[in-house]
Amino acid sequence: MIDPQPLASWNEGAAKSAILDFVGAVTKRGGPDFAPPAERIATFDNDGTLCCEQPLQTQFFFAFNRVKELSAEDPTMAERQPFKAVLEHDYDTLFGLGLQALYELAFATHAGITDEEFDEVACGWLATAKHPKVGRLFKECVYQPQVELIAYLRENGFKTYIVSAGGVDFMRAFVEDAYGVPKEQVIGSSVKLRFDAGGDRVSLSKLPELNIFNDREAKPLSIGLHIGRRPLLAFGNSDGDLAMMRYARSGSGPRLALLLHHDDAEREAAYDREFRLSPLSEALDKARDYGITVVSMKRDWKVVF
Amino acid sequence: MIDPQPLASWNEGAAKSAILDFVGAVTKRGGPDFAPPAERIATFDNDGTLCCEQPLQTQFFFAFNRVKELSAEDPTMAERQPFKAVLEHDYDTLFGLGLQALYELAFATHAGITDEEFDEVACGWLATAKHPKVGRLFKECVYQPQVELIAYLRENGFKTYIVSAGGVDFMRAFVEDAYGVPKEQVIGSSVKLRFDAGGDRVSLSKLPELNIFNDREAKPLSIGLHIGRRPLLAFGNSDGDLAMMRYARSGSGPRLALLLHHDDAEREAAYDREFRLSPLSEALDKARDYGITVVSMKRDWKVVF
């Protein structure tokens, strides 16, 4: 089962070596850095870390499409912000709202149905929706080197989690196929749910009210709540992941915090500080101070998709 | 690895047959009721379902001991309710508070330290603290038939979760040894956490403020948030578990909801409606209507501990 040549899509270099050395150390029985399998937790951000988030996170394409569908039934939406901006493709207004407000907009379009019905709607959209720039299905805009890394960690006894600002229900609709990560190992932003036991079938309805916006310090806090263990490895790509990376890195024993830098305009995109929805600035400046290993898409990855 | 004679501590009868038939059906490849491993989620209440909760849930013994320790440092606690009632062994007052307030009392004694420090304190207490009635260590007051059931489900590809009103951090201190359930598969009541990044070490501090009281309808809601799948099997022992049992039972395909009835005064305890902290009344009355299988401790279990 163990791949004799893991991380085939990673170029030789400091990042790949850091990963191989770390996994070798924590899995070496009797070694000074051995970690029992129960402690092998790895957490990954999703958008921009495992899949393309340019020009927008996938969930917003889905939500904007929902706005179009819902406004056909309710024309007053076209008069109301922020839906008006969506229908008018007014991205300056939309980006100006910030990431949390944009997720709240998305969640508003996901409310009023059960979590199981939502899963069907999301899977239906994902089955055919294509990324406008990459030119493949959104659910296939995932980074091949990361899929290999997740598989490699799993082969070495790690439980791999996604810890993202993205909506948990939307991510659950594709993470198993895309990364081999089960639904219950996804932690994200969420809305409040309502328990409905009126009819024949008991179910959970999605409300338009935010439960948790899972970004920045909320990431380690939700890891404490959902997992109850400090991860041995954390991988992010923006300032929104810095708290999680520092939390993982500052535990005792061997730890690895990785930061993906999008510096590859040719194969994907080159951006950091200027991406208004999820900038990479402080984490890049302080990576060395905090012991975070920077991964360059251009230098460290043989292929992207 | 598969036990040829599973559930050795269960007597032959309707309950054991229901379990064996259910597991046989969902694991039979090509059968009409086959469920892929990813869908095999089972959720168990903890106190009273997996371990003894008489005369009080284990966590309260721990918390009352913490009140004693903390009041030695802060004598004003002896003058303040509800701590006064604890120090005076005034159980009538304490039971009158109800389950949520009693957990809030417990959580107040757990605050001001990190989740990792709390784990050490709880493990230290659990290492030696004995149940006053059962006469063995608290962490060994677990029901042998249930330990076998959890192992049997796991052998058959189920992921087994604990979904309890108990404090999540306290349960995480013993569930791996007691039941073989990993920390990250425990969902419970919780306090808010604070992210501390001031010193050398980044950590999560436990606050005295309730985050979620995980009882009744909160159980299916937290399953929706943490797991994102409707369980195929749910096992409880009180009205606090009814919503979770109904949620599991009302999904499509084969489902099993089980309710443990404590009717064994000789080997453990006989109680239901009169247990003020966590009564069994509506769930017992409506078990047949809701398709819930009642398990009699006296009739269905060969041994208890």
Side-chain angles (χ1 to χ4, degrees):
Chain A
M1 294 288 281
I2 301 252
D3 187 343
Q5 290 199 301
L7 310 183
S9 300
W10 288 69
N11 286 317
E12 301 306 319
K16 182 171 180 174
S17 294
I19 295 169
L20 294 174
D21 290 350
F22 165 78
V23 172
V26 301
T27 56
K28 187 182 163 70
R29 279 197 179 278
D33 290 334
F34 178 74
E39 291 175 14
R40 296 181 201 160
I41 300 288
T43 56
F44 288 81
D45 170 55
N46 182 52
D47 299 286
T49 298
L50 300 181
C51 65
C52 185
E53 65 173 358
Q54 289 296 334
L56 272 175
Q57 287 85 345
T58 305
Q59 187 165 4
F60 298 133
F61 287 97
F62 170 67
F64 294 172
N65 187 61
R66 288 285 286 169
V67 169
K68 258 185 254 169
E69 289 176 0
L70 295 170
S71 68
E73 296 162 28
D74 173 10
T76 71
M77 276 181 89
E79 304 303 318
R80 280 182 284 140
Q81 289 293 20
F83 309 112
K84 186 167 181 281
V86 172
L87 293 166
E88 291 174 353
H89 305 280
D90 175 3
Y91 290 103
D92 200 54
T93 296
L94 290 171
F95 275 58
L97 293 172
L99 194 63
Q100 177 169 340
L102 219 46
Y103 274 115
E104 291 189 70
L105 185 170
F107 294 157
T109 73
H110 303 167
I113 56 179
T114 71
D115 57 347
E116 290 164 336
E117 289 162 348
F118 175 80
D119 188 64
E120 283 178 35
V121 173
C123 286
W125 182 80
L126 286 161
T128 61
K130 274 196 178 168
H131 193 287
K133 195 180 149 201
V134 183
R136 47 170 79 205
L137 294 176
F138 279 106
K139 61 183 180 177
E140 293 168 352
C141 292
V142 300
Y143 304 138
Q144 176 61 20
Q146 301 291 60
V147 172
E148 291 171 11
L149 174 57
I150 289 174
Y152 173 61
L153 290 170
R154 199 166 41 230
E155 284 166 4
N156 281 282
F158 276 80
K159 219 165 181 175
T160 50
Y161 277 81
I162 292 169
V163 180
S164 169
V168 64
D169 290 337
F170 183 72
M171 290 189 286
R172 282 175 175 157
F174 67 88
V175 292
E176 296 200 70
D177 285 346
Y179 317 124
V181 172
K183 291 184 188 215
E184 61 271 20
Q185 286 166 220
V186 182
I187 302 169
S189 296
S190 56
V191 291
K192 291 194 189 300
L193 299 169
R194 188 183 62 218
F195 178 73
D196 290 325
D200 283 351
R201 190 173 159 91
V202 171
S203 57
L204 310 181
S205 288
K206 288 169 72 72
L207 302 179
E209 189 186 344
L210 189 69
N211 178 45
I212 282 177
F213 177 56
N214 194 47
D215 201 25
R216 298 185 177 261
E217 298 190 357
K219 291 196 175 196
L221 297 178
S222 64
I223 291 170
L225 178 64
H226 287 247
I227 305 178
R229 280 183 201 282
R230 195 187 284 257
L232 299 189
L233 180 152
F235 208 140
N237 80 306
S238 77
D239 288 354
D241 303 314
L242 182 55
M244 174 171 81
M245 292 186 286
R246 291 185 63 195
Y247 176 56
R249 187 66 181 76
S250 86
S252 56
R255 304 275 160 170
L256 190 60
L258 297 152
L259 173 69
L260 178 63
H261 189 200
H262 293 260
D263 54 2
D264 196 333
E266 201 174 315
R267 297 188 299 176
E268 196 235 19
Y271 65 97
D272 43 47
R273 293 167 212 276
E274 74 283 8
F275 183 37
R276 288 163 72 187
L277 286 181
S278 186
L280 168 59
S281 176
E282 186 189 356
L284 197 57
D285 294 338
K286 298 212 176 136
R288 186 186 292 260
D289 293 351
Y290 294 142
I292 296 168
T293 300
V294 177
V295 174
S296 152
M297 181 178 275
K298 190 170 182 173
R299 185 188 63 221
D300 291 315
W301 287 1
K302 258 185 211 139
V303 296
V304 174
F305 297 111
Chain B
M1 293 287 282
I2 301 252
D3 187 344
Q5 291 201 300
L7 309 183
S9 300
W10 288 69
N11 287 317
E12 301 305 319
K16 183 172 180 174
S17 295
I19 295 168
L20 294 174
D21 291 349
F22 165 78
V23 172
V26 300
T27 57
K28 187 181 163 70
R29 277 196 181 279
D33 291 334
F34 178 74
E39 291 176 13
R40 297 180 200 160
I41 299 287
T43 55
F44 289 80
D45 169 57
N46 181 51
D47 299 285
T49 297
L50 300 181
C51 65
C52 184
E53 64 173 358
Q54 291 295 334
L56 271 175
Q57 286 85 345
T58 304
Q59 188 165 3
F60 298 133
F61 286 99
F62 169 67
F64 295 173
N65 188 61
R66 288 284 287 171
V67 170
K68 257 186 254 169
E69 288 175 359
L70 295 171
S71 69
E73 296 163 27
D74 174 10
T76 70
M77 278 181 87
E79 304 304 317
R80 280 182 285 141
Q81 288 295 19
F83 309 112
K84 185 167 181 280
V86 172
L87 294 166
E88 291 174 352
H89 305 280
D90 175 3
Y91 290 103
D92 200 54
T93 295
L94 290 171
F95 274 58
L97 293 172
L99 193 63
Q100 177 169 339
L102 220 47
Y103 274 115
E104 292 190 70
L105 184 170
F107 294 156
T109 73
H110 303 167
I113 56 179
T114 71
D115 56 347
E116 291 165 334
E117 290 163 345
F118 175 80
D119 189 65
E120 283 179 33
V121 172
C123 286
W125 182 80
L126 285 161
T128 60
K130 274 194 178 170
H131 193 288
K133 195 179 149 202
V134 183
R136 49 170 77 205
L137 295 176
F138 279 105
K139 62 182 178 177
E140 293 169 351
C141 292
V142 299
Y143 303 139
Q144 176 60 21
Q146 301 291 60
V147 173
E148 291 171 11
L149 174 57
I150 288 174
Y152 173 61
L153 291 169
R154 198 165 42 230
E155 284 164 5
N156 281 281
F158 276 81
K159 218 164 182 176
T160 50
Y161 277 81
I162 292 169
V163 180
S164 168
V168 65
D169 291 336
F170 184 73
M171 290 189 286
R172 283 175 174 159
F174 67 89
V175 292
E176 297 200 69
D177 286 347
Y179 317 124
V181 172
K183 291 183 189 215
E184 60 272 19
Q185 286 166 220
V186 181
I187 302 169
S189 296
S190 56
V191 292
K192 292 195 188 301
L193 299 170
R194 187 183 63 219
F195 178 73
D196 290 324
D200 284 349
R201 189 174 159 89
V202 171
S203 57
L204 311 180
S205 289
K206 289 169 72 70
L207 303 179
E209 189 187 343
L210 189 69
N211 178 44
I212 282 178
F213 177 55
N214 194 47
D215 201 26
R216 298 184 178 262
E217 298 188 358
K219 290 195 176 197
L221 297 178
S222 65
I223 291 170
L225 178 64
H226 288 247
I227 305 178
R229 280 181 199 284
R230 196 187 283 258
L232 299 188
L233 180 152
F235 207 139
N237 81 304
S238 76
D239 288 353
D241 303 313
L242 183 56
M244 174 171 80
M245 291 186 286
R246 291 185 63 196
Y247 176 56
R249 187 66 182 76
S250 86
S252 57
R255 303 276 161 169
L256 190 60
L258 297 151
L259 173 69
L260 178 63
H261 190 199
H262 292 261
D263 55 1
D264 196 332
E266 202 173 313
R267 296 189 298 176
E268 197 236 17
Y271 65 97
D272 44 47
R273 294 168 211 276
E274 74 283 10
F275 183 39
R276 288 164 72 188
L277 286 181
S278 186
L280 169 60
S281 175
E282 186 189 357
L284 197 57
D285 294 339
K286 299 211 175 140
R288 185 185 292 261
D289 294 351
Y290 293 141
I292 296 169
T293 301
V294 177
V295 174
S296 152
M297 181 177 274
K298 189 171 181 172
R299 185 188 63 221
D300 291 314
W301 286 1
K302 261 187 206 134
V303 297
V304 175
F305 297 110

